[in-house]
Amino acid sequence: MEYPLTLRREAIDARANPICNLHHHAFACRDAEETRRFYEDLLGMPMVAAIQEGTHPRTGAPSAYLHLFFEMADGTCLAFFDYPEFFAALDAGQLAPRDSLVHHIALEVRGEAVIDEFRRRLEAHGVGTRVIDHGYCRSLYFVDPNGLKLELTTNVAGTPADFTAFRRDARATLARWQAYKAGTAPLAPSNPSRPAAAAAPSVHPAKEIP
């Protein structure tokens, strides 16, 4: 029997709903390789990207972390941050959703104009926002009334090529990261697609974004 991957009974009209789909759900992890073994080897979700970054995404200050993506059959992902500077020493029970870097849900939209329109709409209602150009995508961050951290993200021109390379190099990137954490190798250069401009995210000053 064919198993439906969605409970939807009819197609979504994108003209009526600008939020296309879940892009990823991000959380913290204690160790990238431990996490890979669980999701890829045990659950069967392929690791489709391992993105090493060398600067803090909000401040641009030097700060190394690894961003992992594990894909589900519908193309959406579970994502994890291995960020020793902030939470490598914590146990699983302490990895609570403290801010958007640790825990957020990313929803995909179609085009940078949609990002800009949502930013205007949110700010008009007093919601603080943060826009970050990650190089491989452009994202808008904000918090809902319940404290849920949200990201709206859109592909950019280089996204397909970037993620083809991220998928191809995922195992090698993860191996270099684990060697760095173990103290047996220096920190490798960041993935090259992140532009220098991303070190200075645009923040609406009315409200601090976690």
Side-chain angles (χ1 to χ4, degrees), residues 135-192:
Y136 47 84
C137 67
R138 184 167 178 252
S139 297
L140 172 69
Y141 296 88
F142 54 98
V143 182
D144 88 344
N146 309 295
L148 178 64
K149 285 73 177 180
L150 294 169
E151 171 189 356
L152 297 184
T153 187
T154 185
N155 291 343
V156 294
T159 300
D162 285 338
F163 272 87
T164 295
F166 292 153
R167 181 188 289 263
R168 181 196 64 217
D169 300 335
R171 287 297 187 97
T173 301
L174 175 58
R176 289 194 299 269
W177 174 258
Q178 292 299 115
Y180 161 70
K181 285 183 63 180
T184 59
L187 181 65
S190 299
N191 290 92

Side-chain angles (χ1 to χ4, degrees), residues 27 29 31-33 47 49-54 63-69 79-84 87 170 173-178 181 191:
F27 202 67
C29 69
D31 181 77
E33 174 58 21
M47 180 174 63
I51 306 170
Q52 183 190 309
E53 300 282 14
S63 187
Y65 65 93
L66 190 71
H67 200 12
L68 302 167
F69 290 79
F80 293 88
F81 290 98
D82 186 350
Y83 209 154
F87 41 73
T173 301
L174 175 58
R176 289 194 299 269
W177 174 258
Q178 292 299 115
K181 285 183 63 180
N191 290 92

Side-chain angles (χ1 to χ4, degrees), residues 23-210:
H23 187 274
H24 66 269
H25 185 169
F27 202 67
C29 69
R30 294 179 300 176
D31 181 77
E33 174 58 21
E34 175 186 58
T35 302
R36 185 207 64 77
R37 287 196 302 268
F38 183 87
Y39 284 95
E40 188 168 52
D41 295 348
L42 184 59
L43 297 186
M45 297 168 59
M47 180 174 63
V48 296
I51 306 170
Q52 183 190 309
E53 300 282 14
T55 58
H56 193 285
R58 297 181 190 141
T59 67
S63 187
Y65 65 93
L66 190 71
H67 200 12
L68 302 167
F69 290 79
F70 299 93
E71 192 175 55
M72 292 174 275
D74 66 351
T76 61
C77 292
L78 292 182
F80 293 88
F81 290 98
D82 186 350
Y83 209 154
E85 182 178 340
F86 288 100
F87 41 73
L90 302 180
D91 62 40
Q94 293 174 297
L95 294 179
R98 294 183 300 278
D99 65 26
S100 58
L101 188 62
V102 177
H103 187 194
H104 67 265
I105 292 175
L107 306 173
E108 188 168 9
V109 299
R110 193 168 293 148
E112 296 191 55
V114 181
I115 294 283
D116 294 335
E117 172 57 28
F118 270 110
R119 187 178 195 184
R120 286 191 293 269
R121 188 185 306 181
L122 289 162
E123 291 175 358
H125 286 79
V127 179
T129 65
R130 180 191 306 271
V131 174
I132 298 181
D133 180 354
H134 293 288
Y136 47 84
C137 67
R138 184 167 178 252
S139 297
L140 172 69
Y141 296 88
F142 54 98
V143 182
D144 88 344
N146 309 295
L148 178 64
K149 285 73 177 180
L150 294 169
E151 171 189 356
L152 297 184
T153 187
T154 185
N155 291 343
V156 294
T159 300
D162 285 338
F163 272 87
T164 295
F166 292 153
R167 181 188 289 263
R168 181 196 64 217
D169 300 335
R171 287 297 187 97
T173 301
L174 175 58
R176 289 194 299 269
W177 174 258
Q178 292 299 115
Y180 161 70
K181 285 183 63 180
T184 59
L187 181 65
S190 299
N191 290 92
S193 65
R194 184 178 176 87
S202 175
V203 183
H204 184 272
K207 181 180 180 182
E208 182 180 357
I209 308 302

